[in-house]
Amino acid sequence: FSRIKEGLKKTRSGIMGRMEGLFARSSFDDEFYEELEEVLIGADVGVETTMQITDSLREKVREEKAREPQQVMDILKGLLLDILGRDVVPLELSEQKPTVILVLGVNGVGKTTTIGKLAHRYKNEGKKVLLAAGDTFRAAAIEQLEIWAGRAQSDIIKHQQGSDPSAVLFDGVTAAVSRGSDVVLCDTAGRLHNKANLMEELKKVRRVVEKALPGAPHEVLLVLDATTGQNALAQAKVFNEAAPITGVALTKLDGTAKGGIVIAIANELKVPVKMVGVGEGVEDLQPFDPIEYVDGLFT
Ligand code: GDP
């Protein structure tokens, strides 16, 4: 997990780093709560979630008659973990092969890279991986996926640019069944400028994948870019309506000092952050560990 530590360096030393200074005081008065709100909102935790956290903190501090900085800090940590959960939530593997993972996300968030990193990870675990090039809108997306398939020694199913994404994913899943693949990673389109069409397309994609293999998709993984802050949350709400998401992969955490978006996602979407991207390299996608994350904010 040292890569996560490294990747969260900016968040820790940035706004969240101010957390430490916040607790170097002798009384926990209104000024403390105001400063805490500022720090959390500045770290992308979002207004709604921030208010919820500070209200609960006030209440618990009063209830427990906490006065010492360490006590207050522990209560705050506990509240953050209540939101994030305490366990690493892995991507589910289905009992029967193949596990189908539908990967959603707006262009540029790091969707292709995340698929590539996942392929690499599964391949390293000895699994047979198939990529399905469902982003048929961009020729570059298909080419990029091919490059990742090569790197991760995975199969790829692709059609021509402009063809029906559902047809590609249907073929991908069907091919994975007949070839005995363990995992199918399905890329999808991510052009959000035509939101209504994209959402209709994703609904159809989901239906068709289910038709190709009953019970699929086993995971609907939404890729969000941590550097886009509250915008990521807005995207998540839109996607969740088209295809209910089962997990989030949060990319580019290494590129922001405002890693608090993790907390907003968990609180407002009630969907676990399962993976975090902490760099451009193939190893830079790691399971998200809430306890390590929260501890990291205060040290
Ligand atoms: P897509 O349009 O969503 O498929 O985005 P890409 O996968 O092409 O990624 C866009 C850019 O973000 C590329 O330059 C990636 O190398 C970069 N990227 C993806 N994930 C991460 C990450 O976790 N950290 C950093 N620093 N860069 C990332």
Side-chain angles (χ1 to χ4, degrees), residues 90-155:
L91 286 166
E92 296 285 344
L93 288 178
S94 59
E95 265 168 41
Q96 275 176 334
K97 326 194 266 199
T99 296
V100 179
I101 304 178
L102 195 59
V103 187
L104 313 181
V106 172
N107 289 342
V109 293
K111 187 158 46 74
T112 312
T113 309
T114 300
I115 292 174
K117 289 169 173 174
L118 277 174
H120 178 80
R121 177 171 272 269
Y122 286 125
K123 181 75 194 172
N124 274 357
E125 290 173 7
K127 296 190 167 60
K128 189 168 152 73
V129 182
L130 185 143
L131 307 184
D135 186 354
T136 58
F137 193 70
R138 297 183 298 167
I142 303 174
E143 284 161 21
Q144 259 196 357
L145 206 67
E146 269 191 303
I147 294 172
W148 277 107
R151 278 187 200 142
Q153 296 162 8
S154 305
D155 292 337

Side-chain angles (χ1 to χ4, degrees), residues 196-218:
N197 282 355
L198 177 59
M199 293 306 127
E200 279 316 306
E201 182 179 305
L202 291 179
K203 278 182 198 165
K204 181 176 168 197
V205 154
R206 200 188 187 291
R207 274 201 314 273
V208 168
V209 164
E210 196 171 2
K211 200 172 263 176
L213 180 67
H218 306 94

Side-chain angles (χ1 to χ4, degrees), residues 7-242:
L8 278 171
K9 219 157 72 187
K10 275 198 185 165
T11 293
R12 289 213 312 269
S13 63
I15 293 189
M16 282 298 198
R18 285 176 55 194
M19 201 78 103
E20 244 183 316
L22 256 183
F23 285 90
R25 66 200 318 130
S26 52
S27 73
F28 292 88
D29 47 12
D30 285 346
E31 196 185 281
F32 163 76
Y33 287 100
E34 271 165 35
E35 275 180 40
L36 177 61
E37 277 165 14
E38 234 174 76
V39 169
L40 292 176
I41 291 170
D44 267 340
V45 173
V47 175
E48 196 182 314
T49 303
T50 295
M51 291 308 167
Q52 212 174 302
I53 293 169
T54 50
D55 286 348
S56 306
L57 184 65
R58 267 180 206 272
E59 207 177 297
K60 278 211 148 178
V61 165
R62 201 182 308 130
E63 260 172 36
E64 299 183 18
K65 299 190 171 57
R67 288 202 183 83
E68 298 300 319
Q70 190 62 50
Q71 284 176 301
V72 180
M73 198 189 274
D74 286 344
I75 296 174
L76 178 56
K77 278 188 187 179
L79 289 171
L80 296 180
L81 288 174
D82 287 346
I83 291 173
L84 292 170
R86 282 159 174 82
D87 300 321
V88 175
V89 188
L91 286 166
E92 296 285 344
L93 288 178
S94 59
E95 265 168 41
Q96 275 176 334
K97 326 194 266 199
T99 296
V100 179
I101 304 178
L102 195 59
V103 187
L104 313 181
V106 172
N107 289 342
V109 293
K111 187 158 46 74
T112 312
T113 309
T114 300
I115 292 174
K117 289 169 173 174
L118 277 174
H120 178 80
R121 177 171 272 269
Y122 286 125
K123 181 75 194 172
N124 274 357
E125 290 173 7
K127 296 190 167 60
K128 189 168 152 73
V129 182
L130 185 143
L131 307 184
D135 186 354
T136 58
F137 193 70
R138 297 183 298 167
I142 303 174
E143 284 161 21
Q144 259 196 357
L145 206 67
E146 269 191 303
I147 294 172
W148 277 107
R151 278 187 200 142
Q153 296 162 8
S154 305
D155 292 337
I156 182 166
I157 295 292
K158 55 168 189 165
H159 290 186
Q160 274 175 347
Q161 184 192 357
S163 57
D164 181 1
S166 302
V168 183
L169 298 191
F170 187 89
D171 282 358
V173 173
T174 310
V177 172
S178 65
R179 294 180 194 184
S181 309
D182 296 295
V183 181
V184 192
L185 296 165
C186 301
D187 194 9
T188 58
R191 53 191 193 290
L192 204 59
H193 63 263
N194 194 337
K195 202 164 87 178
N197 282 355
L198 177 59
M199 293 306 127
E200 279 316 306
E201 182 179 305
L202 291 179
K203 278 182 198 165
K204 181 176 168 197
V205 154
R206 200 188 187 291
R207 274 201 314 273
V208 168
V209 164
E210 196 171 2
K211 200 172 263 176
L213 180 67
H218 306 94
E219 285 274 3
V220 180
L221 186 68
L222 177 65
V223 182
L224 295 173
D225 176 345
T227 64
T228 62
Q230 292 300 303
N231 208 349
L233 202 62
Q235 285 168 18
K237 286 176 182 164
V238 173
F239 276 97
N240 204 21
E241 276 173 36

